[in-house]
Amino acid sequence: MMVSFFDQFASPLYLGIPLIAIAITLPWVLYPTPSSRWINNRLITVQGWLINRFTNQLMLPLNMGGHKWALLLVSLMIFLITINMLGLLPYTFTPTTQLSLNMGFAVPLWLATVIIGMRNQPTVALGHLLPEGTPIPLIPVLIIIETISLFIRPLALGVRLTANLTAGHLLIQLIATAVFVLLPMMPTVAILTATVLFLLTLLEVAVAMIQAYVFVLILSLYLQENV
C-alpha cells in the first residue's frame, strides 16, 4: 500500500518512453494567444492585468538592470502555476514533484544571478561572504559558513517546491483512501472525512499558486543582491 502511494510521483512511461516532456510542454497550449483586435475578450484582459500587477510588484525593489529579468521570471511563474494546478486534476502527473526538474530550474537561474554579481560588482558580491564588523578570529569560519549557505540556496529552492507539492499530493491521496475505506462501514465519518478532503483540496490549490510565486520571489531576492 505504501508503495502505491508514491507511484503517483513516478514519471509516466509509454512503450518505455518517459512522457515528462509532454507534461512539461503541454501547458503552453492552454495559454490564450494575444488578439490583434483593439478590444480583447475578458480572459485576455484579466490575464494581462494580473501579469502587469505581478510584474510591477516583483520589479519594484530592483533597479533598471534587474528589469531585464521581468519576462523570464513572469513566464516561469505562470508556467509553474499551470503545471501545479494541472497536477491537482485526477489521473494527471505533476512534473514539479520531481526534484531533478526543480533543480533544473533553480540551479541555472541562481548561478546566473551569482555570475551577474561577480561581473558587475565583484566587491559587493564577495562582501556578502563577510559581514561588516566581524572579529578577526571569526573571519575564516564565517567565510566558510557563508560560502556553504550560498551554495545551499539552489538546493533549498528546489527542495521547498518539491516537498510542499509532494506532501500535499500524499495527504490528498491518504484522505481519499480513508474516505473509500470508511464509506461502507461508517458513512457519517466518511462524509466528515470527505469534507476535510474538499477543504484540503482548496488549500492545495492555494499552495500550488503560492509556491510558484515564492519560487520566483526568492529568485528575485537573489537577483536583487547582485544587480
Side-chain angles (χ1 to χ4, degrees):
M1 179 64 72
M2 293 304 296
V3 177
S4 65
F5 284 156
F6 290 92
D7 285 346
Q8 60 176 319
F9 304 117
S11 178
L13 300 175
Y14 182 73
L15 299 178
I17 302 174
L19 302 180
I20 188 172
I22 297 178
I24 294 174
T25 56
L26 184 61
W28 294 103
V29 182
L30 305 177
Y31 302 141
T33 56
S35 174
S36 58
R37 297 178 300 178
W38 285 15
I39 300 178
N40 294 321
N41 56 35
R42 293 182 178 89
L43 178 59
I44 296 180
T45 302
V46 172
Q47 173 187 330
W49 181 82
L50 291 174
I51 291 176
N52 289 334
R53 292 291 298 175
F54 171 74
T55 306
N56 293 334
Q57 186 70 25
L58 191 65
M59 296 292 110
L60 189 60
L62 299 177
N63 56 23
M64 293 303 297
H67 291 181
K68 301 175 183 178
W69 286 61
L71 179 61
L72 175 62
L73 295 180
V74 173
S75 301
L76 178 61
M77 190 202 69
I78 296 175
F79 180 63
L80 290 178
I81 287 179
T82 307
I83 288 180
N84 295 345
M85 297 290 286
L86 290 177
L88 294 175
L89 298 175
Y91 303 104
T92 56
F93 172 66
T94 311
T96 44
T97 56
Q98 305 296 310
L99 182 60
S100 57
L101 177 67
N102 296 331
M103 293 300 293
F105 285 136
V107 172
L109 294 174
W110 163 82
L111 187 60
T113 61
V114 174
I115 292 175
I116 287 175
M118 292 294 184
R119 187 188 67 177
N120 295 340
Q121 43 183 11
T123 304
V124 177
L126 294 176
H128 291 301
L129 301 179
L130 184 62
E132 186 177 356
T134 304
I136 295 178
L138 296 179
I139 287 178
V141 178
L142 279 179
I143 290 178
I144 295 175
I145 293 175
E146 291 295 332
T147 304
I148 294 175
S149 67
L150 177 65
F151 284 97
I152 285 179
R153 283 181 173 184
L155 179 62
L157 200 60
V159 169
R160 180 187 295 106
L161 181 59
T162 304
N164 280 282
L165 295 178
T166 302
H169 284 65
L170 281 176
L171 278 176
I172 289 177
Q173 187 170 4
L174 285 170
I175 297 178
T177 304
V179 171
F180 281 105
V181 171
L182 293 173
L183 190 59
M185 297 182 297
M186 294 179 288
T188 305
V189 178
I191 292 174
L192 294 176
T193 308
T195 305
V196 175
L197 176 62
F198 175 73
L199 296 176
L200 179 62
T201 304
L202 295 181
L203 178 62
E204 283 304 309
V205 171
V207 168
M209 294 185 290
I210 291 173
Q211 288 303 316
Y213 174 75
V214 168
F215 188 91
V216 175
L217 180 63
I218 295 177
L219 278 175
S220 70
L221 295 178
Y222 295 162
L223 181 63
Q224 183 181 353
E225 294 180 358
N226 294 283
V227 296

